[in-house]
Amino acid sequence: MSGTGEEEDLAAAWGAALEEEGSPESEAAPAVAADAARVLNQAEIDSLLGFGVGPAREAEESGIQRIISSGLISYERLPMLEIVFDRLVRLMSTTLRNFTSDNVDVSIDGIVSLRFGDYLNSVPLPAMLGVTRADEWDNYGLAVVDSALIYSVVDVLLGGRRGTAAMRIEGRPYTTIERTLVERLVGVVLDDLTAAFEPLCPVHFRFERLEVNPRFAVISRPSNACVLVRLRVDMEDRGGKLEILLPYATLEPVRELLLQQFMGEKFGRDSIWETHLAEELRHTDIGLDVVLDEQMMPLSTVLNLKVGDRITLGVAPGAPVRLRCGEVPLFEGEMGRKGQRLAVKIDREIDRRKGVSS
């Protein structure tokens, strides 16, 4: 009996201890269950993985990250590029209205310079990445369409009703119809980009392939600098973002043109001064030497020449003579006389590159 009573007392003591500690656990349990049931959205996942972008993200950069980022070339050193993108926005506003038969407003969210690897890691998924090729520049670029714009374009082109937001289904791959419609959208944007560069230089941006995985859309080394333009496309209550990425290696063939402050800048050339200089050069007096013959003599023979000695020329009468300015041969002609003066009639011009008459 005594053993049973001790066991009952021990069980009572344990029960009292559990009751004292049970109240915080019982209150925390529903909260833990609620947190476990909550699902993170895409923005929180990007922030958790360090892919977040924007002013808040830039403010959290460390000192060493700012030093590394400052080594990038700023797009402001290519002023003409901003004019090209402004022209692109105007063209897209018109072509996308015809493409979607809806009111479309296109605006620039920003133009930044960044490294290719940093951008590829910050692409918000799911998205479609269109790989483009600039034929004349023999290099590549990217046109990235985010999921909001993909579903909006599909909804508009397939006859979705106005006033209803495009339905976004997470966790499934894009269908063939969606990929085909996005390819048409990227093709329209690339045609406008070609037209935007046309006043500056002839270039054709050609659609090459469509990717959904950023790893398969690598067109440059991760450390290479790129120019990124973020475009916002609004179709009444629908829309999304479209981003165009051009590596600096792609823009290198037209770098001199993009450095212009305005269209047609001549980098300090003054046409008035050039015209004045050309006119003055035409009135400049120069001396011409008429060369009858040239001979090679030993120095001893030249030193032994005396007054009255004769030097026999190795040319026949009527042979053509050369006119030279210094050491530069200019013309060939015939010797003659006009009045009481010797004269030369120019017959042909000497090609100074080849040293022969033409």
Side-chain angles (χ1 to χ4, degrees):
M1 295 293 293
S2 60
T4 304
E6 291 178 358
E7 292 177 357
E8 292 178 355
D9 294 340
L10 185 58
W14 284 354
L18 291 174
E19 289 179 0
E20 292 178 358
E21 298 178 358
S23 55
E25 293 179 358
S26 60
E27 293 175 359
V32 173
D35 290 341
R38 185 172 180 274
V39 179
L40 298 178
N41 57 29
Q42 185 64 41
E44 291 172 337
I45 294 175
D46 291 342
S47 177
L48 184 62
L49 296 178
F51 294 157
V53 294
R57 177 70 178 175
E58 295 173 358
E60 296 174 0
E61 288 185 351
S62 62
I64 188 65
Q65 289 174 334
R66 290 180 178 273
I67 293 175
I68 294 175
S69 300
S70 65
L72 289 178
I73 304 173
S74 173
Y75 83 95
E76 294 178 353
R77 297 185 184 179
L78 304 175
M80 190 56 60
L81 197 60
E82 188 171 353
I83 298 177
V84 171
F85 288 142
D86 286 339
R87 178 179 171 85
L88 173 64
V89 167
R90 294 195 299 270
L91 292 173
M92 285 180 58
S93 298
T94 302
T95 55
L96 290 184
R97 286 172 188 167
N98 298 332
F99 179 69
T100 61
S101 300
D102 202 349
N103 294 326
V104 179
D105 184 23
V106 182
S107 60
I108 296 179
D109 277 356
I111 306 175
V112 296
S113 297
L114 74 170
R115 300 187 187 277
F116 181 75
D118 295 339
Y119 171 73
L120 216 57
N121 292 331
S122 65
V123 174
L125 299 178
M128 287 195 189
L129 298 87
V131 179
T132 67
R133 179 180 175 85
D135 291 332
E136 287 77 4
W137 300 341
D138 193 22
N139 221 317
Y140 296 89
L142 285 181
V144 182
V145 186
D146 71 344
S147 59
L149 183 58
I150 293 172
Y151 291 115
S152 298
V153 169
V154 171
D155 191 46
V156 169
L157 295 181
L158 297 184
R161 292 178 299 175
R162 297 183 179 181
T164 59
M167 183 178 297
R168 177 176 175 177
I169 304 175
E170 299 287 356
R172 68 164 177 84
Y174 292 107
T175 64
T176 304
I177 294 177
E178 292 170 342
R179 293 174 63 94
T180 302
L181 294 179
V182 172
E183 285 183 14
R184 291 179 55 191
L185 172 66
V186 173
V188 170
V189 174
L190 294 181
D191 290 341
D192 290 341
L193 188 60
T194 299
F197 273 98
E198 186 177 358
L200 192 67
C201 62
V203 61
H204 176 65
F205 290 91
R206 175 170 53 84
F207 175 79
E208 189 161 280
R209 68 182 186 273
L210 194 65
E211 301 288 352
V212 295
N213 191 334
R215 291 183 300 173
F216 300 146
V218 176
I219 60 172
S220 179
R221 294 183 179 272
S223 59
N224 287 358
C226 305
V227 175
L228 174 67
V229 55
R230 296 188 175 99
L231 303 175
R232 177 71 187 178
V233 181
D234 293 317
M235 296 174 285
E236 294 185 354
D237 54 346
R238 293 170 288 199
K241 291 184 178 180
L242 173 69
E243 297 178 342
I244 297 176
L245 182 82
L246 295 175
Y248 274 91
T250 301
L251 299 173
E252 185 63 28
V254 291
R255 179 176 174 274
E256 295 295 332
L257 297 175
L258 296 176
L259 287 172
Q260 301 178 81
Q261 295 288 340
F262 53 88
M263 195 75 70
E265 185 181 1
K266 296 184 178 180
F267 298 101
R269 289 176 53 190
D270 189 347
S271 59
I272 299 177
W273 170 250
E274 289 180 357
T275 304
H276 173 71
L277 181 60
E279 292 296 331
E280 291 299 321
L281 287 176
R282 292 179 181 274
H283 294 88
T284 302
D285 295 331
I286 60 173
L288 291 178
D289 298 327
V290 179
V291 181
L292 301 178
D293 186 26
E294 291 182 336
Q295 297 182 6
M296 298 291 294
M297 293 183 181
L299 181 58
S300 58
T301 303
V302 176
L303 294 177
N304 291 330
L305 289 176
K306 298 177 182 179
V307 178
D309 291 344
R310 294 185 178 182
I311 300 176
T312 304
L313 301 180
V315 294
V321 297
R322 287 197 171 192
L323 278 73
R324 296 191 314 192
C325 179
E327 297 296 329
V328 180
L330 297 178
F331 307 102
E332 277 191 357
E334 297 180 0
M335 286 287 296
R337 182 182 293 274
K338 184 176 182 180
Q340 299 298 322
R341 295 176 178 273
L342 293 175
V344 178
K345 178 183 177 183
I346 297 176
D347 293 333
R348 61 187 63 86
E349 182 180 357
I350 296 176
D351 189 351
R352 292 184 294 274
R353 295 171 297 177
K354 300 180 180 179
V356 296
S357 59
S358 59

